[in-house]
Amino acid sequence: MRLRPLTQADCVAIADLEKQLFDSQLDAPALAILLSKAAFHGTVLVDEAPMRHIAYILAYITIDSAEIISIGTHQDQQRRGYGRRILQNFIADVSGRNISEIDLEVAADNFPAIRLYQNCGFVDVGRRKNYYRRQDGLCDALMMKRAAGSAFP
């Protein structure tokens, strides 16, 4: 398996994963537009034999901060450390860029993701009530932040 930058050729597969994992409205054309933005950062973890997208991270990186838009792992590949691998790769990448903090939002009921973020040095800094709309109702978003130099990689 290999980590590499997200390309136009990945947009359909990543949009499909977004839909499966999060019922996201992010489609391939919208992802392709994001890819053209200077501040956008995307990384994929792929299995190349046969070609399969295992995990991904989508983020914005500005002069002094980063915001994770989405991070996901294919459903049948979860709980194998791939999410941690791609997140730690992102943290290492931005740590060399003088970034003061990384922000993200996560569904308050996504306990595996919250645990992953906490184990990687993120702390809870707030809550957005009823932020995520789902077929079965609304869910709060936890706002989390990781300061530069956090003790956990």
Side-chain angles (χ1 to χ4, degrees), residues 29-101:
L31 187 52
I33 290 169
L34 284 176
L35 205 72
S36 71
K37 308 286 184 194
F40 180 77
H41 173 93
T43 300
V44 292
L45 176 65
V46 294
D47 186 349
E48 295 176 325
M51 179 57 149
R52 183 169 183 218
H53 292 79
I54 304 298
Y56 64 93
I57 189 166
L58 310 175
Y60 283 114
I61 301 174
T62 61
I63 293 171
D64 64 351
S65 67
E67 178 183 1
I68 296 173
I69 302 166
S70 187
I71 182 171
T73 302
H74 195 285
Q75 288 177 328
D76 66 6
Q77 298 295 313
Q78 292 178 354
R79 304 218 183 6
R80 297 181 185 187
Y82 299 130
R84 176 181 299 278
R85 181 175 171 189
I86 205 160
L87 178 59
Q88 288 178 329
N89 178 76
F90 179 76
I91 291 168
D93 184 39
V94 299
S95 69
R97 298 184 188 206
N98 206 23
I99 299 294
S100 62
E101 63 188 30

Side-chain angles (χ1 to χ4, degrees):
M1 282 192 230
R2 182 170 71 100
L3 283 168
R4 64 169 173 74
L6 179 77
T7 67
Q8 293 284 340
D10 300 311
C11 289
V12 170
I14 298 307
D16 286 348
L17 278 173
E18 274 282 301
K19 181 74 171 166
Q20 293 166 23
L21 296 170
F22 307 115
D23 196 25
S24 174
Q25 300 303 311
L26 182 63
D27 60 11
L31 187 52
I33 290 169
L34 284 176
L35 205 72
S36 71
K37 308 286 184 194
F40 180 77
H41 173 93
T43 300
V44 292
L45 176 65
V46 294
D47 186 349
E48 295 176 325
M51 179 57 149
R52 183 169 183 218
H53 292 79
I54 304 298
Y56 64 93
I57 189 166
L58 310 175
Y60 283 114
I61 301 174
T62 61
I63 293 171
D64 64 351
S65 67
E67 178 183 1
I68 296 173
I69 302 166
S70 187
I71 182 171
T73 302
H74 195 285
Q75 288 177 328
D76 66 6
Q77 298 295 313
Q78 292 178 354
R79 304 218 183 6
R80 297 181 185 187
Y82 299 130
R84 176 181 299 278
R85 181 175 171 189
I86 205 160
L87 178 59
Q88 288 178 329
N89 178 76
F90 179 76
I91 291 168
D93 184 39
V94 299
S95 69
R97 298 184 188 206
N98 206 23
I99 299 294
S100 62
E101 63 188 30
I102 304 171
D103 299 305
L104 61 83
E105 293 170 349
V106 60
D109 62 355
N110 189 344
F111 302 115
I114 293 166
R115 209 168 21 257
L116 169 64
Y117 300 140
Q118 290 171 336
N119 289 338
C120 288
F122 287 82
V123 295
D124 187 351
V125 295
R127 180 179 288 259
R128 294 182 194 269
K129 293 297 251 176
N130 301 322
Y131 185 75
Y132 294 106
R133 297 189 190 288
R134 299 181 174 159
Q135 292 177 345
D136 62 346
L138 300 171
C139 181
D140 293 354
L142 294 182
M143 298 181 302
M144 300 185 81
K145 182 179 302 282
R146 182 182 192 280
S150 175
F152 303 99

